[in-house]
Amino acid sequence: MTAMAERTRTDAAATAERPSGDLGRRLAARRAHLGLTRRETALRAGVAPSYLKYLEEHPGASPNRGTLLTLAAALETTVSELTGGAADLPAGLGEAARSPEFTELGTDECRSLLGTHGVGRIAVSTPSAPVVVPVNYSVVDSAIVFRTASGATPSLASGHQVAFEVDRIDDAFSSGWSVLACGLADTVTDPDETRRLDERAYTAPWAGGHRDLWMRIEPHTITGRRITV
């Protein structure tokens, strides 16, 4: 099969799988996270691939609790996570694992994890008190970059040492990791550099509005920890 034909078949398959509705999107996202195809997931759960396709692509699909339990087990998660019952709950409410393993992460792994995330938290000193705020960020040439608005809380970090943290918490398995980067934050003022970041940093601020001020953090230390079961 030619490369063109293979690409066409892959594109067609991707187009055919269009998750719809909250449950469908969560099912598809979870199996993608585990690296499972729809057929592999269906075999794990003991359901027909066509039924899983229906669940993913029809917003009104409402499987019974037994089916949800088997799907959750197959996808190594919980019914609450699949149905969005925990969507508005803070992470970390799950039970502690019986025998957790705590490890320090090496610098290379910390940088790799930092590069996979799109939302992190920056700790900023303000005239009234220290403040921690979330920002949508990218990593460009080992620097953490994000857009904000002049006068907004993240912009107050310019010229100061800051802490920047990202993490992932899996309540279903009482596990997770966190990475902490510390360094000097600066406003990007060079027009060429601003243009380069516009082209290379693809994360847009969720808050919307006019946010054309680029900030950059050059980490001098990066540390991380992981808890597994």
Side-chain angles (χ1 to χ4, degrees):
M1 180 179 291
T2 66
M4 178 71 73
E6 178 65 28
R7 258 197 319 271
T8 301
R9 190 176 72 172
T10 302
D11 291 344
T15 301
E17 295 191 1
R18 293 180 180 273
S20 181
D22 289 344
L23 175 62
R25 284 192 290 269
R26 290 190 179 93
L27 286 169
R30 183 61 186 171
R31 66 178 174 80
H33 174 73
L34 295 175
L36 297 172
T37 66
R38 187 177 279 170
R39 177 171 291 278
E40 290 168 339
T41 304
L43 288 173
R44 276 190 175 198
V47 301
S50 59
Y51 182 59
L52 181 56
K53 179 177 185 293
Y54 169 78
L55 293 180
E56 289 190 3
E57 297 181 1
H58 289 76
S62 56
N64 61 39
R65 183 163 180 80
T67 300
L68 287 173
L69 284 168
T70 58
L71 285 170
L75 292 170
E76 301 174 11
T77 186
T78 64
V79 171
S80 183
E81 290 291 337
L82 286 182
T83 58
D88 294 325
L89 297 178
L93 295 180
E95 293 289 332
R98 288 180 179 272
S99 302
E101 182 178 340
F102 182 88
T103 56
E104 299 285 342
L105 302 179
T107 301
D108 289 342
E109 186 173 5
C110 286
R111 289 188 180 278
S112 177
L113 291 171
L114 187 65
T116 64
H117 255 58
V119 177
R121 286 168 287 281
I122 182 172
V124 182
S125 293
T126 71
S128 57
V131 176
V132 178
V133 292
V135 294
N136 299 87
Y137 77 96
S138 295
V139 176
V140 176
D141 296 335
S142 299
I144 299 162
V145 297
F146 59 89
R147 282 190 296 172
T148 187
S150 180
T153 299
S155 72
L156 302 180
S158 185
H160 299 283
Q161 294 289 330
V162 300
F164 187 86
E165 192 261 356
V166 294
D167 57 48
R168 183 184 179 109
I169 306 298
D170 190 334
D171 273 324
F173 295 95
S174 302
S175 61
W177 57 262
S178 66
V179 170
L180 179 68
C182 297
L184 180 67
D186 270 319
T187 303
V188 178
T189 56
D190 180 72
D192 291 338
E193 178 67 4
T194 298
R195 242 183 334 266
R196 190 173 75 94
L197 292 178
D198 285 337
E199 294 171 354
R200 295 188 58 186
Y202 303 107
T203 302
W206 286 0
H210 190 60
R211 299 173 187 272
D212 58 356
L213 183 69
W214 278 105
M215 301 285 297
R216 175 176 52 214
I217 302 171
E218 297 282 356
H220 55 70
T221 60
I222 301 180
T223 56
R225 299 178 289 183
R226 185 190 297 277
I227 297 176
T228 55
V229 294

